Every structure is written in structure tokens, then in C-alpha cells.
Amino acid sequence: MRAVGVHADAVVAVSGFWQTTSTALRAGEEAFLIDSPVLPAELEALPSLLAQAAFPQVQGLLVTHADWDHLLGRYAFPDAPLGVPESTAARLRNEPGAAQRELRAFDDEHYVERPGPLSLGRPETTQALPVPGHCGIGERELELHPADGHTEDGMAVWIPWARVLVCGDYLSPVEIPWISEHGSATAYLATLRRLAPLVEQADHVVPGHGAVLDGTRAAAILGEDVAYLEALLERGADAPLPLARRSGAQRRIHAENVGRVAAAV
Ligand SMILES: [Zn+2]
């Protein structure tokens, strides 16, 4: 796991698996964690890593969307309450146990052992956050922006005083736009257009997967992703993939996207 300080109040850890990112954030005596690394040793190391960075104890876990690989913060901070966008709260309610099942399938496949099953806590302790909206931390406020399209739920978190955008599964340098089962290419495009003015102001953009980007690089990826999605909607399978993201794995995601777009028409 790589950890990078992007601001005095924000540290980003990038998991050794899928390069899933996790952002620790502090304001005064309060600290939050947004999303999570994937591997057990990484989750176990997080509390001491943040203590070394002189962060206060993490008192809240925010998640950008309900995909299981972003939901594992409880393994690191078992008592911290979960804050999720309303759209994610609805998804967790509508698909009870889905994250746990998918985590188990992943762990079985890769021989990963965890200290116990994933506990997301009781639904009544999960805070459903209105998005668009604000979320207080210490004496500061985070801006929450809707970010659907990859999935049917999601939010991007704008940290105004640090000029950092934590956007969930968008703007990845390693993954093409992925329209998952209940996602939508048109909603994805709308999210990218919504994020564009934030990217323009950002010193750093933290994608759900991949290394932290500076604003210029993130804007370039945003342009590539808009072009890919527009081509996907117009030309389906013939849409060219962004130059730096054409591996076999990305071609499989593209094939999946082609099926989703065809099914949505
Ligand atoms: Zn993800």
C-alpha cells in the first residue's frame, strides 16, 4: 500500500489490489476515512499509519458508493459510524448482504483470509447523507456532489480548503469508464460534466482506482472519458479505448459496457 500526503489534512492510501484508494481527512480534532483499501494487511495497518501522520482517531467512514471494495473501512475502524449518500443507503437496503457475498467470493477466489465477516453495522446507525449537500467535519464542511453512472448510486466529495476532489469510480488513470449492472452511460456523462468545474479548481483528484492526479491530468482523463462514452453511445463496440487504457482487462470492461448500452436502448 502506498500512502501520499496531498495536503496537511489529507492522506491518500492506494491499495495493492485494483489500486483502490482510501482518503483520510482531518479538520481540528476530527478525522474521517473515505472508502477503503482491499487487502487485510492494509486495513490492519491504516490506524497506525494515520497515527504516525498525527491524525486524530477516525470518527466517521464515508463511502463514495456501495461497491464492496470501497466498503471495508470497518475492518480498520470497527466502531466508526458509516456515512453514505442517500442513493447508496437505498442500494444497501435494496441489496441486503450483497457486499458481504461479493467480498466472500473475492476472498475465496484469491485465498484471502479476513479476521471476520464484514459488518456494516445496523442500518439505523448508518447516516444517509443528502446529496447534493454538505457534511461537517471539525469546524469545516465538505461538499457532496452526486456521482452516478458507474453504478446507480454515488457521490463525489469536494474538500474545499485542501482543493482535493475524491470522486469515487470516475477519472481513473487505470480503468476506463465502467458501466456496471445498474449504471448508465448517459448518467456517467452527466456526472463527468458535473465534476468538470471541480476538477478545474482542484490541486489533486483522487480517483476510486489509481494514483492521485493533479488537476491538469484529471482534466485530460475527463476529456478522454467523455470522448470514449460519446463514441460508445454512437458506435458501440467500435468505440476506441483511451490510448493508455487498452489492456485485456480494459477490453473486457469495454465489452461489458457495449452490452449494457445495447440493453439500455
Ligand atoms: Zn471500485
Side-chain angles (χ1 to χ4, degrees), residues 3 62 70 78 93 115 134 175 194 201 216 228 235 240 248 257:
L62 295 180
H70 301 264
R93 263 197 318 274
H134 292 87
E175 192 172 272
R194 205 178 300 124
Q201 301 167 56
T216 311
Y228 166 71
R235 297 156 59 188
N257 289 344

Side-chain angles (χ1 to χ4, degrees), residues 4-262:
V4 231
V6 293
H7 181 272
D9 293 333
V11 172
V12 179
V14 183
S15 176
F17 206 96
W18 286 333
Q19 298 193 39
T20 306
T21 64
S22 179
T23 305
L25 179 65
R26 74 172 154 201
E29 287 312 300
E30 218 174 347
F32 287 175
L33 185 74
I34 309 174
D35 290 352
S36 62
V38 173
L39 301 173
E42 297 172 337
L43 289 156
E44 204 186 305
L46 261 187
S48 56
L49 188 146
L50 295 180
Q52 276 162 30
F55 267 55
Q57 172 73 18
V58 165
Q59 287 144 5
L61 301 169
L62 295 180
V63 302
T64 56
H65 61 300
D67 285 357
W68 69 265
D69 53 318
H70 301 264
L71 282 179
L72 307 180
R74 273 273 164 77
Y75 281 113
F77 303 101
D79 302 321
L82 208 60
V84 304
E86 275 169 347
S87 57
T88 295
R91 194 176 146 199
L92 291 170
R93 263 197 318 274
N94 296 339
E95 307 172 347
Q100 284 87 348
R101 271 195 304 281
E102 284 165 32
L103 171 64
R104 230 167 19 242
F106 171 88
D107 287 349
D108 283 350
E109 171 85 18
H110 299 286
Y111 312 154
V112 174
E113 287 182 350
R114 308 227 174 233
L118 170 63
S119 159
L120 294 176
R122 296 189 312 279
E124 59 271 26
T125 62
T126 299
Q127 197 186 346
L129 305 164
V131 179
H134 292 87
C135 171
I137 170 171
E139 284 170 2
R140 308 271 202 179
E141 271 206 329
L142 305 172
E143 279 178 28
L144 310 178
H145 296 267
D148 55 324
H150 164 60
T151 54
E152 76 267 38
D153 63 319
M155 68 173 174
V157 181
W158 171 244
I159 308 163
W161 73 97
R163 304 168 78 85
V164 172
L165 176 66
V166 180
C167 58
D169 283 5
Y170 301 87
L171 305 177
S172 170
V174 293
E175 192 172 272
I176 62 167
W178 189 342
I179 314 302
S180 65
E181 194 184 348
H182 300 289
S184 142
T186 47
Y188 200 121
L189 272 169
T191 287
L192 290 178
R193 296 198 168 109
R194 205 178 300 124
L195 295 180
L198 295 169
V199 168
E200 224 164 85
Q201 301 167 56
D203 288 341
H204 295 96
V205 173
V206 184
H209 300 270
V212 177
L213 308 165
D214 63 33
T216 311
R217 177 90 198 286
I221 290 173
L222 193 146
E224 288 179 3
D225 287 356
V226 167
Y228 166 71
L229 289 165
E230 285 177 342
L232 177 71
L233 286 166
E234 276 169 31
R235 297 156 59 188
D238 292 338
L241 270 60
L243 259 182
R245 290 173 281 166
R246 291 185 173 174
S247 65
Q250 300 312 302
R251 286 174 194 284
R252 281 193 294 280
I253 295 174
H254 173 57
E256 203 181 301
N257 289 344
V258 170
R260 300 257 193 261
V261 169

